[in-house]
Amino acid sequence: VQLQASGGGLVQAGGSLRLSCAASGSSFSSYYTGWFRQAPGKEREFVATISWGGRGIRYADSVKGRFTISRDNGKNTVYLQMNSLKPEDTAVYYCAQGALKGTIRTMDSPSVYDYWGQGTQVTVSS
């Protein structure tokens, strides 16, 4: 599986961006696709995840109500719509795929994901 993240950029606080994660290769029906982010000097942080069928969705508390994850399986693409952006959302955003191991809460951990994209930079100015 190859993942290609795109859509990052520079935006003012309060603005919006939509990230895309395009997948190629095999995509198993049990795989979740997640978004993580990493700011300079910080650990990689869970943002959101979605099941292959779209029914299983989970968000980090820090983005609930502002970010929306969705997918179009016909296009093999997962999206992250980011609204009301804040300077603290500035980071490199990565998408990843992994099989569900246990409950959806387990998908918060980067270690359960098997495949990673290259990352796209999101910068929010104040």
Side-chain angles (χ1 to χ4, degrees):
V1 176
Q2 290 81 44
L3 302 174
Q4 180 77 34
S6 62
L10 173 64
V11 64
Q12 288 188 333
S16 299
L17 282 174
R18 188 177 80 158
L19 305 183
S20 299
C21 176
S24 59
S26 299
S27 293
F28 299 103
S29 60
S30 62
Y31 270 48
Y32 276 63
T33 301
W35 285 98
F36 290 77
R37 63 188 182 187
Q38 189 165 18
K42 294 188 176 181
E43 292 187 352
R44 194 162 295 191
E45 175 189 28
F46 169 74
V47 176
T49 194
I50 186 169
S51 63
W52 189 87
R55 293 181 179 179
I57 291 177
R58 179 171 167 83
Y59 296 99
D61 288 342
S62 59
V63 306
K64 275 182 184 175
R66 300 188 298 123
F67 291 10
T68 302
I69 191 170
S70 63
R71 67 188 306 146
D72 183 338
N73 287 340
K75 296 181 178 179
N76 289 330
T77 302
V78 170
Y79 304 99
L80 186 69
Q81 178 67 43
M82 305 186 296
N83 298 329
S84 303
L85 283 161
K86 305 175 181 180
E88 51 264 44
D89 294 318
T90 295
V92 177
Y93 283 69
Y94 299 90
C95 61
Q97 274 196 355
L100 180 66
K101 302 177 178 67
T103 69
I104 192 173
R105 287 177 178 268
T106 65
M107 304 311 295
D108 293 5
S109 171
S111 64
V112 304
Y113 290 83
D114 302 308
Y115 306 101
W116 289 84
Q118 85 291 357
T120 184
Q121 176 71 47
V122 172
T123 303
V124 184
S125 62
S126 57

